């Protein structure tokens, strides 16, 4: 049994024989060695991720480029499968993480996207934004920071006092502390008044709400490639709202693909994308600090400012299938991995 489905093609399609990218052939052509770029990528993904990510356009392009996508069989030892050049995964169980860590210890030549210990950093919203807070990223192109936040582990009745002691300003966005890949972990609530805070359900993170024109920037990062899309977000909150709204307002997952704002008629001051140099610097810093190559950043621009940005969430292996042209970006990324291995092999590294 394959883990949540195996990539398959029509029987009348031409069969492509795959060998590991590590297998290189020498050719007398032009007097040099030529790599055989045939990459075997084992994947361990949830059913939901298989459906959203392994779309036909990705499968066909991968096949044309000599990339073989192979479902990992969770009923067999990982060491008995392969050989793999790359393992692509998004399974959150501790059992799988241990299997993968043990496998990588025995097969360090296999690229794991991404290391489980690095991913764990993003599974908790308390640690998720810590690296951003430590960045202190400010340049000619803008400033990047995080909203002030407070972690509540238990006892809802203690929340009003804890918020007052921390000096947080209402309204507050409440998010589940743990990010486990379920839709529930991406739900959020907006608490308008102090009395409603005790209605929240810990463990959670409370973030100060920042008005941002109702637009969120999803910054997709695939190694060094960065692509940004606009999504509708929560509307701004004004003084009238604070005076006339009480209680907790719960929202399903916001900023999904259905909420795309890329073609909406928006105020240019609100819809203008963050400067590319700022995003490139941010992406480089976070790749290094997080130890990840596949993630996205949810970023907002504070209303009334041109260059003050807040990062409010970071997600590992997000919905790349919603990103325009993702199949080209991702297959190029995989081939670049193979090329890097080849160059390292030539240099004796």
């Amino acid at each position: 049994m394959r883990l949540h489905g195996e990539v398959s093609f029509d029987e009348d399609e031409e069969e492509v024989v795959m060998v590991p990218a590590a297998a290189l052939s020498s050719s007398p052509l032009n007097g040099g060695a030529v790599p055989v770029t045939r990459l075997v990528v084992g994947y361990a993904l949830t059913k939901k991720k298989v459906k959203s990510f392994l779309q036909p356009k990705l499968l066909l392009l991968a096949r044309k480029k000599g990339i073989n996508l192979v479902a990992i069989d969770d009923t067999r030892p990982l060491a008995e499968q392969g050989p793999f050049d790359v393992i692509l995964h998004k399974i959150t169980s501790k059992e799988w993480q241990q299997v993968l860590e043990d496998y990588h210890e025995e097969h360090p030549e296999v690229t794991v996207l991404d290391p489980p210990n690095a991913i764990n950093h993003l599974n908790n919203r308390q640690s998720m934004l810590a690296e951003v807070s430590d960045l202190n990223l400010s340049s000619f192109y803008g400033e990047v920071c995080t909203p002030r936040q407070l972690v509540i582990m238990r006892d809802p009745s203690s929340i009003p006092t804890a918020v007052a002691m921390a000096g947080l300003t209402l309204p507050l966005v409440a998010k589940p502390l743990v990010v486990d890949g379920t839709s529930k972990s991406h739900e959020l609530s907006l608490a308008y008044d102090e009395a409603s805070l005790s209605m929240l359900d810990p463990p959670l993170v409370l973030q100060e709400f920042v008005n941002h024109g109702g637009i969120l920037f999803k910054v997709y990062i695939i190694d060094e490639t960065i692509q940004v899309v606009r999504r509708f977000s929560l509307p701004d909150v004004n003084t009238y709202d604070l005076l006339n709204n009480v209680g907790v307002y719960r929202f399903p997952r916001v900023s999904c693909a259905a909420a795309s704002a890329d073609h909406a008629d928006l105020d240019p001051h609100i819809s203008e994308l963050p400067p590319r140099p700022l995003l490139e610097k941010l992406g480089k810093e976070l790749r290094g600090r997080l130890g990840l190559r596949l993630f996205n950043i949810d970023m907002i621009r504070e209303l009334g400012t041109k260059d003050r940005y807040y990062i409010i969430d970071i997600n590992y292996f997000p919905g790349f299938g919603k990103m325009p042209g993702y199949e080209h970006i991702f297959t190029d990324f995989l081939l670049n991995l193979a090329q890097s291995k080849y160059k390292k092999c030539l240099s004796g590294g």
Side-chain angles (χ1 to χ4, degrees), residues 77-213:
L78 187 56
E80 295 180 3
Q81 303 180 60
F84 302 117
D85 299 296
V86 177
I87 290 182
L88 180 67
H89 71 105
K90 194 174 183 181
I91 302 293
T92 58
S93 71
K94 291 182 179 179
E95 293 79 9
W96 163 253
Q97 292 183 23
Q98 189 60 55
V99 166
L100 195 54
E101 288 174 359
D102 292 345
Y103 177 85
H104 194 243
E105 189 172 328
E106 293 293 324
H107 301 276
E109 75 281 2
V110 177
T111 300
V112 175
L113 298 172
D114 273 315
N117 60 340
I119 297 171
N120 287 339
H121 199 73
L122 300 187
N123 290 340
N124 184 300
R125 285 193 167 95
Q126 183 174 16
S127 59
M128 175 189 293
L129 301 183
E131 296 295 346
V132 182
S133 300
D134 293 341
L135 271 180
N136 193 27
L137 182 59
S138 181
S139 71
F140 171 78
Y141 296 100
E143 177 185 8
V144 178
C145 47
T146 60
R148 291 202 300 163
Q149 68 176 32
L150 175 67
V151 176
I152 304 294
M153 296 302 299
R154 58 182 66 86
D155 189 9
S157 64
S158 69
I159 298 178
T161 301
V163 167
M165 291 180 64
L168 297 187
T169 303
L170 293 164
L172 295 174
V173 178
K175 302 178 180 179
L177 178 63
V178 176
V179 182
D180 59 7
T182 64
S183 58
K184 184 174 178 61
S185 67
H186 291 281
E187 293 178 352
L188 55 85
S189 303
L190 191 62
Y192 277 94
D193 63 298
E194 182 179 328
S196 66
L197 294 174
S198 57
M199 299 167 57
L200 297 171
D201 185 22
L204 53 80
V205 171
L206 296 175
Q207 291 180 348
E208 284 189 330
F209 181 79
V210 178
N211 281 336
H212 52 284

Side-chain angles (χ1 to χ4, degrees), residues 195-254:
S196 66
L197 294 174
S198 57
M199 299 167 57
L200 297 171
D201 185 22
L204 53 80
V205 171
L206 296 175
Q207 291 180 348
E208 284 189 330
F209 181 79
V210 178
N211 281 336
H212 52 284
I215 294 296
L216 176 145
F217 304 107
K218 293 196 82 71
V219 183
Y220 291 101
I221 296 176
I222 299 179
D223 203 27
E224 296 182 1
T225 300
I226 296 174
Q227 190 165 118
V228 189
V229 297
R230 302 176 187 85
R231 295 283 188 261
F232 285 113
S233 179
L234 298 180
D236 292 335
V237 176
N238 55 34
T239 304
Y240 178 86
D241 295 326
L242 286 173
L243 293 175
N244 291 275
N245 287 295
V246 295
V248 174
Y249 290 75
R250 304 187 187 278
F251 297 88
R253 185 168 185 167
V254 298

Side-chain angles (χ1 to χ4, degrees), residues 308-323:
R308 185 173 177 83
Y309 299 91
Y310 288 84
I311 293 180
I312 57 177
D313 245 337
I314 305 176
N315 304 289
Y316 169 66
F317 199 165
F320 288 127
K322 304 169 188 173
M323 185 177 72

Side-chain angles (χ1 to χ4, degrees), residues 275-286:
R276 173 63 56 169
L278 181 68
L279 294 178
E280 290 176 349
K281 184 175 182 181
L282 176 63
K284 181 179 180 180
E285 289 286 345
L286 287 180

